Amino acid sequence: MTTDNLHVVFAGGGTGGHLFPGLAVARQLEVLAPSVRITMATGGKPLEHSQVAAAGFNYVRLPSHPLTSAAGAWRFVKDNISGCRRARRFLQRTKVSLVVGLGGYASVPMAWAAASARVPLVLLEQNAFPGRVTRWLAPRASLVCAAFDEARPLLKAGGPIRVTGNPIRAGFLSKAAGHARRLSPNRQLVILGGSGGSRTLNEQVPRALYKVPRELIGWRILHQTGPRDWEATKTLYRKLGLEAQVVPFIERIQSILPAADLAICRSGGTTLAELSATGVPALLLPYPNAANNHQRKNADVYAAAGAGRIIDAREVSGRLDNTIAESLASLLSDSAGRQQMANAMLRLARPNAAWHVATMIGQMLGAAVPGQAAVA
């Protein structure tokens, strides 16, 4: 593969759900074409900086800000104009060959600058209902890689739309081979609120677990809280007399999920892709304020396949912890039901998505892509 002087920028972040698919594709591209220069362009959050540094890629910070309210309109305009100007200068100075937009507000400055400068643009879309940024940029994109079949009819793209699945981090690939998984006799429950954590899960799940003491016997609890609620959630478990491992962030989730027997989580596209790759059945609580209700639409796909059960907080008339406890009582005690859900999860897996996306990028760069196996 002739890749000298080629430079690919991955633009976006904001949350792990956007950042991790980009890092996964970047790593596969690095294996496929070692001489390609790779840069990650993000908004500069601590998670972004630490993960990019750990991956060993070049890093550039571009200001960006979401439009969440009228009060924040001035910062939205100021930061995004500043970010786009910096991105244009970066494109001109470094002769970028292609930009990969990872979705979300943090991808806008570089992706928009690339589209304006006619630099080839590839978009990754993680959700069943495409995000606003993807829908806005798709007509100017050379390629859109979607995680869900359901996203295809909702996009009007300038280039082809390929349903690749959601790229996941290395280490999951070998775990998803085949379509059967035997659950562990050790029984581990994992609570995941995303990279930033979920206050609802942090407050309601421990209370729900307290209400199912008999079904919880023999289960180990691992709860990822995010940085804000770590101490408060540890204190809550202690007050309830529940033994749990409570951490702000699970750095090596690849080594945890293969041993998990049930997850309680939000339903972001990246989380679901990692669960399906490892065959972990899930109780899904979609984030109620997600744009276009996309987390509920993701959850609906998995529930329809028999891989997960949904609790939508907006549909709960009583106490949320009671509703969670009711679902947990049946899930924790029904190993056969969890096994069926685990197998359904694996049938949804697309573990080689990162490799497929990287291969298409290589082809767009004019390179002859060898028939090489995906890196595990």
Side-chain angles (χ1 to χ4, degrees):
M1 174 183 276
T2 302
T3 54
D4 293 342
N5 302 318
L6 293 179
H7 183 191
V8 177
V9 175
F10 289 79
T15 66
H18 289 302
L19 179 66
F20 293 143
L23 288 172
V25 174
R27 182 164 188 262
Q28 295 290 357
L29 184 61
E30 183 181 46
V31 173
L32 182 70
S35 62
V36 169
R37 179 184 175 191
I38 294 173
T39 298
M40 305 295 298
T42 78
K45 288 186 175 181
L47 174 71
E48 298 165 342
H49 193 272
S50 64
Q51 293 295 320
V52 173
F57 296 125
N58 298 317
Y59 177 82
V60 60
R61 179 186 175 277
L62 297 176
S64 60
H65 193 73
L67 181 59
T68 54
S69 66
W74 167 243
R75 185 178 175 188
F76 168 80
V77 172
K78 178 177 70 71
D79 284 359
N80 286 292
I81 288 177
S82 174
C84 285
R85 287 174 176 168
R86 291 191 194 183
R88 282 198 297 268
R89 289 195 296 269
F90 183 85
L91 291 175
Q92 293 166 357
R93 187 174 68 250
T94 61
K95 297 181 180 180
V96 172
S97 310
L98 182 144
V99 169
V100 183
L102 307 182
Y105 71 90
S107 69
V108 169
M110 183 61 74
W112 176 247
S116 301
R118 301 188 182 277
V119 173
L121 175 64
V122 174
L123 300 178
L124 304 188
E125 175 51 54
Q126 296 86 18
N127 298 297
F129 191 99
R132 183 180 356 181
V133 171
T134 301
R135 299 196 311 273
W136 174 50
L137 290 170
R140 307 188 71 170
S142 303
L143 172 68
V144 178
C145 297
F148 288 81
D149 292 297
E150 288 77 5
R152 187 196 294 270
L154 302 174
L155 289 169
K156 296 179 180 179
I161 301 171
R162 301 284 185 250
V163 180
T164 60
N166 202 2
I168 56 175
R169 289 168 279 181
F172 287 105
L173 304 184
S174 61
K175 307 298 190 299
H179 293 292
R181 179 197 176 192
R182 189 174 301 279
L183 296 179
S184 166
N186 295 322
R187 292 183 293 179
Q188 177 158 282
L189 172 65
V190 180
I191 299 100
L192 303 168
S195 58
S198 163
R199 179 150 294 173
T200 296
L201 268 61
N202 292 340
E203 293 177 348
Q204 299 297 322
V205 171
R207 292 183 171 91
L209 292 171
Y210 176 75
K211 296 179 178 182
V212 290
R214 183 168 59 86
E215 291 82 1
L216 199 58
I217 293 173
W219 282 81
R220 294 176 291 115
I221 303 168
L222 174 60
H223 191 136
Q224 175 181 282
T225 64
R228 293 172 302 174
D229 295 340
W230 178 41
E231 291 291 348
T233 307
K234 284 199 302 182
T235 299
L236 178 57
Y237 274 108
R238 189 164 54 248
K239 286 181 177 179
L240 295 172
L242 294 173
E243 185 176 343
Q245 183 181 359
V246 183
V247 296
F249 183 71
I250 301 172
E251 191 66 44
R252 288 289 301 171
I253 192 73
Q254 302 95 319
S255 65
I256 297 298
L257 289 184
D261 298 275
L262 181 65
I264 306 173
C265 56
R266 293 302 197 190
S267 50
T270 298
T271 294
L272 291 173
E274 293 177 348
L275 293 176
S276 61
T278 46
V280 182
L283 180 59
L284 303 171
L285 284 81
Y287 178 52
N289 299 320
N292 300 115
N293 202 23
H294 70 258
Q295 285 212 4
R296 176 57 192 260
K297 293 178 172 67
N298 294 347
D300 285 340
V301 173
Y302 277 71
R309 297 184 188 176
I310 300 173
I311 295 177
D312 192 325
R314 293 164 297 186
E315 299 171 357
V316 175
S317 57
R319 291 175 55 118
L320 181 58
D321 59 334
N322 286 341
T323 302
I324 297 172
E326 183 179 348
S327 288
L328 281 174
S330 61
L331 284 170
L332 293 172
S333 59
D334 183 7
S335 59
R338 293 196 314 276
Q339 184 68 64
Q340 291 178 351
M341 293 171 69
N343 293 336
M345 268 289 183
L346 282 175
R347 287 192 289 271
L348 292 171
R350 294 178 184 255
N352 293 320
W355 181 255
H356 293 317
V357 175
T359 299
M360 286 187 284
I361 290 172
Q363 292 169 341
M364 290 176 65
L365 293 171
V369 179
Q372 186 175 346
V375 64

